[in-house]
Short mmCIF file of all heavy atoms in Angstrom, two decimals:
data_model
loop_
_atom_site.label_atom_id
_atom_site.label_comp_id
_atom_site.label_asym_id
_atom_site.label_seq_id
_atom_site.Cartn_x
_atom_site.Cartn_y
_atom_site.Cartn_z
N ALA A 1055 146.49 122.41 83.78
CA ALA A 1055 146.76 121.12 84.41
C ALA A 1055 145.52 120.71 85.20
O ALA A 1055 145.03 121.48 86.03
CB ALA A 1055 147.96 121.22 85.34
N VAL A 1056 145.03 119.51 84.93
CA VAL A 1056 143.80 119.05 85.58
C VAL A 1056 143.97 117.65 86.13
O VAL A 1056 144.83 116.88 85.67
CB VAL A 1056 142.62 119.05 84.57
CG1 VAL A 1056 142.31 120.45 84.06
CG2 VAL A 1056 142.90 118.10 83.41
N SER A 1057 143.16 117.33 87.14
CA SER A 1057 143.08 115.94 87.59
C SER A 1057 141.61 115.59 87.73
O SER A 1057 140.79 116.44 88.07
CB SER A 1057 143.82 115.74 88.91
OG SER A 1057 143.38 116.65 89.88
N PRO A 1058 141.25 114.34 87.45
CA PRO A 1058 139.85 113.94 87.46
C PRO A 1058 139.24 114.07 88.86
O PRO A 1058 139.95 114.03 89.86
CB PRO A 1058 139.89 112.48 87.02
CG PRO A 1058 141.23 112.27 86.41
CD PRO A 1058 142.15 113.23 87.10
N SER A 1059 137.93 114.18 88.89
CA SER A 1059 137.26 114.24 90.20
C SER A 1059 137.00 112.84 90.73
O SER A 1059 136.49 112.67 91.82
CB SER A 1059 135.92 114.98 90.02
OG SER A 1059 135.17 114.31 89.01
N MET A 1060 137.35 111.84 89.93
CA MET A 1060 137.16 110.45 90.37
C MET A 1060 138.43 109.66 90.06
O MET A 1060 139.18 110.02 89.15
CB MET A 1060 135.98 109.82 89.64
CG MET A 1060 136.16 109.73 88.15
SD MET A 1060 134.76 108.91 87.38
CE MET A 1060 135.08 109.38 85.68
N GLY A 1061 138.67 108.59 90.83
CA GLY A 1061 139.81 107.75 90.53
C GLY A 1061 140.77 107.63 91.70
O GLY A 1061 140.50 108.15 92.78
N PRO A 1062 141.90 106.96 91.48
CA PRO A 1062 142.86 106.68 92.56
C PRO A 1062 143.69 107.91 92.94
O PRO A 1062 144.01 108.73 92.07
CB PRO A 1062 143.74 105.58 91.97
CG PRO A 1062 143.65 105.77 90.50
CD PRO A 1062 142.27 106.32 90.22
N ALA A 1063 144.07 108.01 94.22
CA ALA A 1063 144.91 109.12 94.68
C ALA A 1063 146.31 109.03 94.07
O ALA A 1063 146.99 110.04 93.93
CB ALA A 1063 145.00 109.09 96.21
N SER A 1064 146.74 107.80 93.74
CA SER A 1064 148.01 107.60 93.03
C SER A 1064 147.87 106.32 92.21
O SER A 1064 146.97 105.52 92.48
CB SER A 1064 149.17 107.49 94.01
OG SER A 1064 149.08 106.28 94.74
N ILE A 1065 148.75 106.14 91.25
CA ILE A 1065 148.67 104.96 90.37
C ILE A 1065 149.95 104.15 90.55
O ILE A 1065 151.04 104.58 90.17
CB ILE A 1065 148.47 105.41 88.91
CG1 ILE A 1065 147.14 106.17 88.81
CG2 ILE A 1065 148.49 104.22 87.96
CD1 ILE A 1065 146.97 106.99 87.56
N GLU A 1066 149.79 102.98 91.15
CA GLU A 1066 150.95 102.13 91.49
C GLU A 1066 150.67 100.66 91.19
O GLU A 1066 151.43 99.79 91.64
CB GLU A 1066 151.30 102.29 92.97
CG GLU A 1066 151.75 103.69 93.34
CD GLU A 1066 151.80 103.94 94.83
OE1 GLU A 1066 150.94 103.41 95.56
OE2 GLU A 1066 152.71 104.66 95.27
N SER A 1067 149.58 100.39 90.48
CA SER A 1067 149.24 99.00 90.16
C SER A 1067 148.39 98.99 88.90
O SER A 1067 147.88 100.02 88.46
CB SER A 1067 148.42 98.40 91.31
OG SER A 1067 147.16 99.08 91.39
N HIS A 1068 148.20 97.80 88.33
CA HIS A 1068 147.33 97.68 87.14
C HIS A 1068 145.90 98.05 87.50
O HIS A 1068 145.19 98.66 86.70
CB HIS A 1068 147.40 96.25 86.60
CG HIS A 1068 148.76 95.88 86.10
ND1 HIS A 1068 149.31 96.42 84.96
CD2 HIS A 1068 149.71 95.04 86.62
CE1 HIS A 1068 150.54 95.93 84.78
NE2 HIS A 1068 150.80 95.10 85.77
N TYR A 1069 145.52 97.72 88.72
CA TYR A 1069 144.16 98.03 89.20
C TYR A 1069 143.97 99.55 89.23
O TYR A 1069 143.01 100.08 88.66
CB TYR A 1069 143.96 97.43 90.59
CG TYR A 1069 142.59 97.60 91.18
CD1 TYR A 1069 141.56 96.72 90.86
CD2 TYR A 1069 142.32 98.63 92.07
CE1 TYR A 1069 140.29 96.87 91.40
CE2 TYR A 1069 141.06 98.79 92.62
CZ TYR A 1069 140.05 97.90 92.29
OH TYR A 1069 138.79 98.06 92.82
N ASP A 1070 144.93 100.26 89.86
CA ASP A 1070 144.86 101.73 89.89
C ASP A 1070 144.77 102.29 88.48
O ASP A 1070 143.97 103.18 88.19
CB ASP A 1070 146.11 102.32 90.55
CG ASP A 1070 146.27 101.99 92.03
OD1 ASP A 1070 145.27 101.63 92.67
OD2 ASP A 1070 147.43 102.06 92.50
N GLU A 1071 145.62 101.73 87.62
CA GLU A 1071 145.70 102.28 86.27
C GLU A 1071 144.38 102.08 85.52
O GLU A 1071 143.87 103.00 84.89
CB GLU A 1071 146.86 101.63 85.51
CG GLU A 1071 147.19 102.36 84.24
CD GLU A 1071 148.47 101.85 83.60
OE1 GLU A 1071 149.50 101.81 84.28
OE2 GLU A 1071 148.42 101.50 82.41
N ALA A 1072 143.83 100.87 85.65
CA ALA A 1072 142.57 100.59 84.95
C ALA A 1072 141.47 101.54 85.42
O ALA A 1072 140.71 102.09 84.62
CB ALA A 1072 142.16 99.14 85.21
N LEU A 1073 141.43 101.80 86.72
CA LEU A 1073 140.35 102.65 87.26
C LEU A 1073 140.64 104.14 87.14
O LEU A 1073 139.79 104.97 87.45
CB LEU A 1073 140.07 102.24 88.70
CG LEU A 1073 139.44 100.85 88.81
CD1 LEU A 1073 139.30 100.42 90.26
CD2 LEU A 1073 138.08 100.82 88.11
N ALA A 1074 141.83 104.48 86.66
CA ALA A 1074 142.14 105.90 86.40
C ALA A 1074 141.66 106.31 85.01
O ALA A 1074 141.46 107.50 84.74
CB ALA A 1074 143.65 106.14 86.50
N VAL A 1075 141.47 105.31 84.14
CA VAL A 1075 141.17 105.63 82.75
C VAL A 1075 139.85 106.38 82.54
O VAL A 1075 139.82 107.38 81.81
CB VAL A 1075 141.26 104.37 81.86
CG1 VAL A 1075 140.77 104.64 80.45
CG2 VAL A 1075 142.70 103.85 81.84
N PRO A 1076 138.72 106.00 83.19
CA PRO A 1076 137.49 106.78 82.97
C PRO A 1076 137.67 108.27 83.31
O PRO A 1076 137.19 109.14 82.57
CB PRO A 1076 136.48 106.11 83.90
CG PRO A 1076 136.96 104.71 84.04
CD PRO A 1076 138.46 104.80 84.02
#
Side-chain angles (χ1 to χ4, degrees):
V1056 297
S1057 53
S1059 56
M1060 62 178 165
S1064 69
I1065 298 164
E1066 296 168 324
S1067 66
H1068 296 290
Y1069 183 84
D1070 294 340
E1071 193 171 306
L1073 292 174
V1075 172

